[in-house]
Amino acid sequence: MNVLILGAGGREHAFSWKISQSPILGNLYIAPGNPGTAQCGTNLAIGVTDFEGIATAIRTHDIGLVVVGPEEPLVKGVRDFIESQADLQHVGIVGPGAEGAQIEGSKDFSKNFMHKYGIPTAASQTFTKDTIADGLAYLQQQSLPIVLKADGLAAGKGVIIALTLEEAETALNEMLLDAKFGDASSKVVIEQFLRGIELSVFVLTDGENYVVLPEAKDYKRIGENDEGLNTGGMGAVSPVPFANEKFMELVKQKVIEPTVKGLKAENIDYKGFIFIGLMNHEGEPYVIEYNARMGDPETEVVLPRIESDFLSLLIAASNGTLSEQTISILDQYAVTTMLVAGGYPEEYRKGDVLTGVEKVEDAIVFHAGTTSKDGDIITSGGRVMALTGTSNTLERAIQKSQKAAQTIQFEGKNFRRDIGLDVLRYGM
Ligand code: AMP
Ligand code: GLY
């Protein structure tokens, strides 16, 4: 079967790397891809929201399966568009339609969904410009810190954790009255702050059945010891120590099953990934957020731990036969360290020549924000490259990832040297 992956980041290179190992793969295409995905298949110069261009590529290259990487095309309805084409009815798609993608695209939708189906999550209420007075009054009654979330997609920046009432009031005013996050903050969810340790759980579903992929922990802050600004993710580790059998059983019963059943009950034919951001609060799972896709850089540690043929799982999710599949997971650790451009996550450098990839011996190199120019690889995004080490000890997996991070060179390179160390201290 010929496969088309949409996206251009480290997550999509990881998808390409894994899918290209499948014995049932025909040709692999990536739109638009990056220099890393080009080593696994053929890049097509088509943007992820160019739906007409995507449909044409499906026809030209006889694509049987489309795997959608990022959230934007999902929320904008790439699935619905492909399904609306009379001659593309045979094409499988991994990723929900626009309605299902609202679990990520609208915090208000996802909170209502969780409240309706009894899925544990922080108590919350949603406010708009018209109900701002109620929102300000509501804030007065809440304990601190308090969390304010822009309803829509805000490039990972729409969450504010206010430590004082004044901060919370300012944030609510700015979001609702000054459109701080544009349209995304025309509704604001105010929710209770949850204390605990976070982890990410990944589910692949065909709308009825599901498999649970390896869980992961993401490192979101730019600085070591989780200091400084939020980023898209500076590294990840899998497995996560407190995600033991007992905790994961709770996650299944209290979160995954009611989520999959709830989507079905809402008449949403959800075929794709559900990324569940969880807080372990005193041993109980609470949902912080849903995403309608895989995480980045979590995918770069999740996929190296999957032993099964990933393409078979994706095809089964797309055609409703996941009940016939099982997933086999490798009993090994995976750690990824993200190299980022100087200045990131604020204004960052671009166009620096990257060297040393051929010297990396003991880690998997996943390109993210890179591009080819005049025979060189140059930096083109804030998150440049993810380096994944795998081993049967966590310590060794960390060492492999860090060594590769030191081997790759480019002007302004920055990376965290503490990815996985907290997990190691936790006693693995
Ligand atoms: P989100 O964009 O929903 O992933 O939120 C970004 C980050 O804010 C999460 O990864 C958490 O670290 C934090 N966060 C979000 N909601 C809460 C909450 N209710 N309590 C504590 N921390 C939260
Ligand atoms: N690493 C977090 C995300 O993909 O949303």
Side-chain angles (χ1 to χ4, degrees):
M1 178 181 285
N2 295 342
V3 177
L4 172 64
I5 298 172
L6 301 183
R11 167 182 49 212
E12 288 76 21
H13 187 184
F15 278 153
S16 309
W17 169 81
K18 186 71 182 163
I19 291 171
S20 66
Q21 296 167 24
S22 171
I24 58 170
L25 176 70
N27 295 323
L28 178 62
Y29 299 90
I30 309 93
N34 65 34
T37 64
Q39 295 164 7
C40 311
T42 306
N43 287 351
L44 305 173
I46 302 167
V48 296
T49 56
D50 175 4
F51 295 172
E52 289 285 357
I54 292 165
T56 303
I58 295 172
R59 293 183 181 104
T60 309
H61 301 290
D62 190 20
I63 300 295
L65 184 76
V66 179
V67 184
V68 186
E71 63 277 17
E72 196 191 356
L74 292 170
V75 171
K76 290 190 171 159
V78 68
R79 179 190 195 95
D80 313 80
F81 183 85
I82 297 169
E83 283 180 344
S84 73
Q85 308 292 301
D87 62 331
L88 299 183
Q89 297 300 309
H90 62 285
V91 179
I93 306 163
V94 177
E99 205 188 355
Q102 284 188 89
I103 61 165
E104 171 164 9
S106 167
K107 304 263 187 216
D108 183 41
F109 176 93
S110 71
K111 293 299 289 193
N112 286 335
F113 175 83
M114 287 184 261
H115 293 320
K116 182 168 174 185
Y117 292 99
I119 297 160
T121 187
S124 73
Q125 273 199 36
T126 302
F127 299 94
T128 63
K129 207 175 188 170
D130 295 337
T131 58
I132 189 163
D134 299 339
L136 291 166
Y138 181 79
L139 280 179
Q140 302 256 355
Q141 298 153 13
Q142 306 306 310
S143 52
L144 294 165
I146 184 86
V147 184
L148 291 94
K149 297 185 172 181
D151 175 56
L153 293 182
K157 297 196 177 111
V159 175
I160 291 169
I161 297 174
L163 301 176
T164 65
L165 181 61
E166 201 189 352
E167 231 181 289
E169 288 170 345
T170 305
L172 188 66
N173 280 317
E174 284 179 355
M175 284 161 102
L176 289 177
L177 302 181
D178 309 337
K180 182 168 182 175
F181 301 108
D183 235 16
S185 63
S186 61
K187 279 188 201 170
V188 173
V189 173
I190 301 181
E191 76 173 30
Q192 174 201 7
F193 179 81
L194 292 173
R195 274 171 224 287
I197 329 174
E198 282 184 71
L199 88 154
S200 305
V201 169
F202 304 96
V203 174
L204 177 66
T205 180
D206 62 7
E208 182 92 43
N209 301 288
Y210 64 87
V211 291
V212 182
L213 310 182
E215 76 286 351
K217 179 183 189 296
D218 178 21
Y219 293 77
K220 286 207 167 85
R221 302 297 189 103
I222 186 74
E224 277 147 34
N225 302 312
D226 293 327
E227 281 171 13
L229 295 173
N230 249 323
T231 71
M234 296 294 290
V237 177
S238 179
V240 180
F242 58 81
N244 54 28
E245 220 167 296
K246 186 172 158 226
F247 184 75
M248 290 307 282
E249 195 49 44
L250 283 177
V251 172
K252 253 187 208 175
Q253 278 170 24
K254 297 192 169 183
V255 179
I256 299 175
E257 305 229 330
T259 298
V260 173
K261 284 200 180 115
L263 288 166
K264 195 177 169 207
E266 294 292 305
N267 281 321
I268 295 174
D269 184 24
Y270 196 109
K271 292 181 161 56
F273 297 105
I274 309 174
F275 163 163
I276 307 169
L278 283 175
M279 190 71 87
N280 175 339
H281 174 71
E282 295 171 359
E284 290 287 328
Y286 287 81
V287 178
I288 295 277
E289 64 167 350
Y290 288 118
N291 294 305
R293 54 173 173 85
M294 284 297 290
D296 193 355
E298 291 92 331
T299 305
E300 291 93 305
V301 292
V302 168
L303 296 193
R305 293 195 57 223
I306 297 179
E307 190 174 22
S308 318
D309 177 39
F310 192 52
L311 181 53
S312 299
L313 289 169
L314 295 174
I315 293 170
S318 78
N319 67 17
T321 56
L322 212 45
S323 63
E324 296 163 18
Q325 299 279 330
T326 51
I327 181 165
S328 154
I329 294 169
L330 292 167
D331 191 14
Q332 65 173 18
Y333 296 90
V335 174
T336 203
T337 304
M338 188 64 88
L339 303 181
V340 303
Y344 177 81
E346 298 185 281
E347 191 74 31
Y348 56 81
R349 298 174 62 99
K350 277 185 193 170
D352 292 305
V353 174
L354 183 148
T355 58
V357 173
E358 71 292 345
K359 294 196 194 118
V360 174
E361 282 170 354
D362 232 359
I364 318 169
V365 173
F366 292 121
H367 286 245
T370 68
T371 192
S372 304
K373 194 182 171 205
D374 306 330
D376 285 327
I377 301 288
I378 62 167
T379 64
S380 62
R383 293 193 296 166
V384 174
M385 192 167 261
L387 300 150
T388 301
T390 61
S391 175
N392 47 15
T393 74
L394 176 60
E395 218 161 6
R396 191 77 195 106
I398 293 172
Q399 280 167 6
K400 287 181 178 180
S401 174
Q402 287 286 316
K403 188 171 173 220
Q406 280 152 10
T407 303
I408 305 278
Q409 298 298 336
F410 58 89
E411 194 68 33
K413 175 182 81 169
N414 184 24
F415 64 97
R416 278 180 63 165
R417 288 163 177 79
D418 66 343
I419 304 298
L421 293 184
D422 56 337
V423 177
L424 199 60
R425 279 195 294 271
Y426 202 91
M428 297 228 62

